Amino acid sequence: MLLTIAVAAVVFATVLAPQSPLYLGFFFSAQHRSETMRAPGNGLSGWVARRIMTKVNQQTSAHVVTNFLKVQKGDFVIELGPGSGHALPAIFSSEPDTVIGIEISPSFRDELSSKFASEIQSSRLVVSGDDAIQYLRIHVADGSVDRILGSNVVYFLNPLDRYLSEFYRVLQPGGTLVFAVKDMVKTAAAGQSIFVNMDWDACLAAMEKAGFLSERKPLQLEDGGPAKYWPLVGTKN
C-alpha cells in the first residue's frame, strides 16, 4: 500500500513539474498551453500540441496554398512556422526554386528534417530556427521573395508592425503575403499573453500601414470543422 502511494506521489509530482518531459501543463495552464502551441517541445505536452495541430491544420494548409498563395514555377517562397510541413507538398508541387521554412520549434525542425530530407539535401528547402526578422535581415535581399505564407502564425508576431515591415522589404513588387487565421483560437487563447494578434481587422490595418494592399477573403472550408479559416491576403505595391 505504501509503495503504491509512493509511486503515485512520484508520478503526480512528475506530471506537475514544468522541467519534466512528462509535464502536463498543457491541460491545466493556459499560459503553458499557449507557449506550447507557439513552439511545441519534445515532452508530453509538445506531443499533444503537435497532434492537435495536425488535426487542425492539415486540410487548411493545403487549401490556403492552392487557393491563395498560388506558387509559380521558379518562385522564392518563405513559410513562417511550417510546423509538421503540411503546406510543403502543395508548395513543392508548383516547382519553386527555393523554400525557406522559419520554424522556432526544435521538435518541428526535427520532423521537417526527417520528412523533407531530400528537399533539404538538394537545397530546395532551408529550415531555420531563427526569429523571422533576424533571419530575413541577414539572409534575404530586398525585393527577392515571391510569396510568404503564415498559417496560424500571425497571432504570435510581436510587435506585428516590425515583422510586416520586414516582410514588405523582402517581397518583390506584386509579391504576396498570406496569413491563415482561425476564430477558434480566440477562445483557446483567452487569459494569456502569447497570442497577441487576435483582431483580424486590426491585422489587416497593420498590413495596410506597412504598405500592403490587403483584404480579408471569405471564410473558407466552412463545413470543415476546425479546418475553417479566414485568409488575410496582402500584395506589395
Side-chain angles (χ1 to χ4, degrees), residues 14 25 34 37 39-40 52-53 61 63 69 78 83 107 118 122 126 134 145 150 161 164 193 200 218-220 223 226:
T14 299
S34 297
M37 294 301 287
I52 291 173
M53 289 183 189
S61 297
H63 189 275
L69 196 65
I78 292 175
S107 63
S118 62
S122 66
V126 176
Q134 178 183 359
V145 176
D161 59 343
L164 290 173
S193 59
W200 313 147
L219 186 65
Q220 303 294 309
D223 298 325

Side-chain angles (χ1 to χ4, degrees), residues 8-206:
V10 170
V11 171
F12 188 69
T14 299
V15 300
L16 292 179
Q19 70 273 19
S20 168
L22 298 179
Y23 179 54
L24 291 178
F26 186 91
F27 297 102
F28 54 78
S29 167
Q31 187 72 11
H32 180 77
R33 181 166 54 251
S34 297
E35 291 170 353
T36 303
M37 294 301 287
R38 176 176 179 266
N42 289 307
L44 185 55
S45 286
W47 181 87
V48 172
R50 291 193 299 275
R51 300 288 75 74
I52 291 173
M53 289 183 189
T54 292
K55 181 176 179 61
V56 169
N57 295 333
Q58 197 162 19
Q59 184 180 3
T60 302
S61 297
H63 189 275
V64 71
V65 170
T66 301
N67 292 277
F68 298 101
L69 196 65
K70 298 182 178 178
V71 179
Q72 302 294 313
K73 185 174 182 178
D75 274 356
F76 181 2
V77 180
I78 292 175
E79 184 177 8
L80 309 167
S84 294
H86 299 306
L88 289 174
I91 291 173
F92 282 121
S93 70
S94 296
E95 301 182 45
D97 274 353
T98 304
V99 179
I100 307 294
I102 299 177
E103 177 54 66
I104 64 171
S105 165
S107 63
F108 273 144
R109 292 200 302 274
D110 290 345
E111 190 173 351
L112 291 168
S113 295
S114 175
K115 292 170 67 173
F116 298 94
S118 62
E119 288 83 358
I120 292 172
Q121 186 174 8
S122 66
S123 298
R124 294 180 65 210
L125 173 63
V126 176
V127 178
S128 172
D130 291 337
D131 174 78
I133 291 177
Q134 178 183 359
Y135 183 89
L136 296 178
R137 283 180 177 172
I138 295 173
H139 299 287
V140 182
D142 294 2
S144 61
V145 176
D146 298 286
R147 325 274 167 180
I148 299 176
L149 171 65
S151 185
N152 286 311
V153 165
V154 72
Y155 326 130
F156 310 114
L157 302 181
N158 188 25
L160 181 57
D161 59 343
R162 288 182 58 199
Y163 284 91
L164 290 173
S165 176
E166 196 62 18
F167 301 156
Y168 191 87
R169 178 187 70 81
V170 301
L171 279 168
Q172 66 169 301
T176 304
L177 168 66
V178 181
F179 291 124
V181 298
K182 300 191 176 188
D183 289 333
M184 64 181 290
V185 304
K186 295 183 178 183
T187 300
Q192 52 69 58
S193 59
I194 304 299
F195 289 72
V196 293
N197 302 308
M198 306 296 291
D199 182 329
W200 313 147
D201 289 336
C203 290
L204 286 169

